[in-house]
Amino acid sequence: MKVLAILYDGGDAAINEPRLLGTVENKLGIQDWLAAEGHELVVSSSKEGPDSDFQKHIVDAEVLITTPFHPGYLTRDLIEKAKNLKICITAGVGSDHIDLNAAVDHKIQVLEVSGSNVVSVAEHVVMSILLLVRNFVPAHEMIERGDWKVSDVARNAFDLEGKVVGTIGAGRIGYRVLQRLVPFDCKELLYYDYAPLPEAAAKAVNARRVEDLKEFVSQCDVVTVNCPLHEGTLGLVNSELLASFKKGAWLVNTARGAICDKDAVAEALASGRLAGYAGDVWNVQPAPKEHVWRTMKNPLGGGNGMVPHYSGTTLDAQARYANGAKSILENYLKGTAQEPQNVIVGLGKYETKAYGQR
Amino acid sequence: MKVLAILYDGGDAAINEPRLLGTVENKLGIQDWLAAEGHELVVSSSKEGPDSDFQKHIVDAEVLITTPFHPGYLTRDLIEKAKNLKICITAGVGSDHIDLNAAVDHKIQVLEVSGSNVVSVAEHVVMSILLLVRNFVPAHEMIERGDWKVSDVARNAFDLEGKVVGTIGAGRIGYRVLQRLVPFDCKELLYYDYAPLPEAAAKAVNARRVEDLKEFVSQCDVVTVNCPLHEGTLGLVNSELLASFKKGAWLVNTARGAICDKDAVAEALASGRLAGYAGDVWNVQPAPKEHVWRTMKNPLGGGNGMVPHYSGTTLDAQARYANGAKSILENYLKGTAQEPQNVIVGLGKYETKAYGQR
């Protein structure tokens, strides 16, 4: 059996830090085990174009392992060439880089390590909200370059206390964000989702559901995106929706880059409609050098909290998703039932509503 | 009556943003009121040396207003020259820039706007903890300069979940930090203070007191300093104490710069004893251009989360402390009793234990 894993390059960092499990060098820690079981493991970061290792090896691999951080984009076209492919495992959470409808059609299972990094991402969201609202980046850059002008920083710094914060999506990550915001004494916590939270869960975080999206964003000082990417959420935050945001709102997106329209966000930030945008997800990954989100700023020269896609790949998260990917593979090899919460696509059908299948 | 206010320069920012109340330009919003009452208000940022406005006007001012962000250092020597001085008002929290023992001796009252920015600072602490633990600054800088190398960032990124966090000082700010950390599922929350928290308060945040300081820091992954600066805390975090920290601990100090030994912290960060240091307070303010804390780094090139002193001077906080300073001044003018929690030094005696008087 051939197992193909598309991971990111770790370089010296991975050689010096064995806990960087999700790298080409450290191979999710499964190489010795697979070899002992008599299986072949091919690991590479090369994923773009017909000469990539991804496209070369996908034709006869039985198992594909990918991550959201350096996604191997498994299109319908590639799925049709992948004659042996039986199971796709996402080491992490979020399998939108796989054409799920095509996987259903070809009876290829898709599983992810549910919960492996939802806390990691939720923490990143809360951090990003705080650093936008409190204007951290311009303040730190001022110190680094040797300046000191408190007023230039303070003029765009606020407290989170007393603000209205809303999440688009109150699932595994969005709900954890709400939980972490409770003691910050926000004016109100809101959520937008296709289904209401169970009553006890909503009460525990004192969150109110708003059913209309435009109405929802018009009430928020801070909007955070915590829903999966699918046909129904692609480009959801576009110029039309941004026009309904409060002037000077802050937007945090650690879900998927393509949920927000790249140019509409950059324009909203430049015009001051948005006071800040932060997150770690991009419409293409790695983001090109000239991607506008790298350096876009608000009219006061701040409001950019972007980072590469790493919020869910802390060393703590890597231990969890490497273990989880191995468990899924073990279950597959032994024919044991998978944990239900990990199954996105079962044999020929969706097993979750999270990707837009209602 | 002459009122002297030493505030920071706001420049264009203050002209364009009237909510920047704590600036020379916007004068805490009290100029018209004081003029109508027939009093003189002198406002300046010039505070260093014998030719400064501070030293020139302190000799006949009856009221001195200062802030912690651009502190006018009122030494015993200056107090002896200030023949008319009756009351010092700190617009904000923290009056260590005033020689409090000398104020007691000369029956000069010292008041601050208790609570005006404790939430602001507590939020900054939680933000700083998250951005150090999650390695935000190197990640953002990587994006700004056009790079993308997830492993270089992830190798030093962790979750706050499961870590031990401790605060030196569990007073108005430290306790609010603990409250905000509760939903982050830390392994344990600890505190070090001269007195135990009331039982119900300790239980509400599930925090354990450690009475020995070395023992306390040796158990913490994250240490945050939230105590006032006084003789007993000056240089408290020195090389001897840092040697007791866990290797790779993170340290956040938004209390006062001089509580931490400047060079000992820089050395601990360079050696990797500390993985990160963040905060907004400096042993001298404004910090000199060449201050080592501006650019110090850990061995992986990160771990610096420094900003100028602004965490307690968000626009939200400025509204509160400007109003609070005005109330204190009104009470003084009318002879009304001051709010007890605002009084640091009353007529000839300390009214608080917070500055080391037990």
Side-chain angles (χ1 to χ4, degrees), chain B residues 164-184:
Chain B
V164 178
V165 183
T167 175
I168 298 178
R172 292 168 299 177
I173 293 173
Y175 188 73
R176 283 173 173 79
V177 170
L178 294 173
Q179 286 178 308
R180 280 157 182 74
L181 290 174
V182 168
F184 282 91

Side-chain angles (χ1 to χ4, degrees), chain A residues 8-14 16-17 19-20 23 69-70 116 119-124 126-128 130-137 139-161 163 179-185 280 282 284-289 293-295 297 304-318 320, chain B residues 8-14 16-17 19-20 23 69-70 116 119-124 126-128 130-137 139-161 163 179-185 280 282 284-289 293-295 297 304-318 320:
Chain A
Y8 55 86
D9 286 318
D12 286 349
N16 294 322
E17 178 51 84
R19 289 177 295 177
L20 273 172
T23 57
F69 314 108
H70 181 76
S116 62
V119 164
S120 309
V121 179
E123 288 187 7
H124 195 95
V126 177
M127 174 190 77
S128 298
L130 285 167
L131 65 87
L132 287 185
V133 170
R134 307 192 60 78
N135 206 24
F136 169 79
V137 169
H140 180 64
E141 289 177 345
M142 174 182 286
I143 283 303
E144 269 201 320
R145 69 171 179 266
D147 286 349
W148 182 286
K149 195 129 198 348
V150 168
S151 52
D152 274 8
V153 178
R155 68 173 163 180
N156 210 18
F158 297 85
D159 297 335
L160 182 54
E161 183 191 51
K163 304 298 180 290
Q179 287 179 306
R180 279 156 183 75
L181 290 175
V182 169
F184 282 91
D185 293 332
D280 68 334
W282 305 69
V284 190
Q285 297 185 178
K289 253 192 173 3
W293 284 7
R294 287 182 182 270
T295 52
K297 298 274 161 65
N304 184 317
M306 294 305 298
V307 293
H309 195 178
Y310 86 105
S311 71
T313 182
T314 58
L315 295 184
D316 296 304
Q318 294 195 38
R320 291 190 295 262
Chain B
Y8 56 87
D9 285 318
D12 285 348
N16 296 320
E17 179 50 84
R19 291 177 293 177
L20 274 172
T23 56
F69 315 107
H70 182 77
S116 61
V119 164
S120 310
V121 177
E123 287 187 7
H124 195 95
V126 176
M127 173 190 78
S128 298
L130 284 166
L131 66 87
L132 287 185
V133 169
R134 307 191 61 77
N135 207 25
F136 170 79
V137 169
H140 180 65
E141 289 176 346
M142 173 182 287
I143 283 303
E144 270 202 317
R145 71 171 178 265
D147 286 350
W148 183 287
K149 195 130 201 339
V150 168
S151 51
D152 274 8
V153 177
R155 69 173 162 179
N156 210 18
F158 297 84
D159 298 334
L160 182 54
E161 183 191 53
K163 305 298 181 289
Q179 286 178 308
R180 280 157 182 74
L181 290 174
V182 168
F184 282 91
D185 294 334
D280 68 333
W282 305 70
V284 190
Q285 293 184 185
K289 252 191 176 0
W293 284 8
R294 286 182 183 267
T295 52
K297 298 274 162 63
N304 184 317
M306 294 305 297
V307 292
H309 194 179
Y310 85 106
S311 71
T313 183
T314 58
L315 295 184
D316 296 304
Q318 294 195 39
R320 291 189 296 262

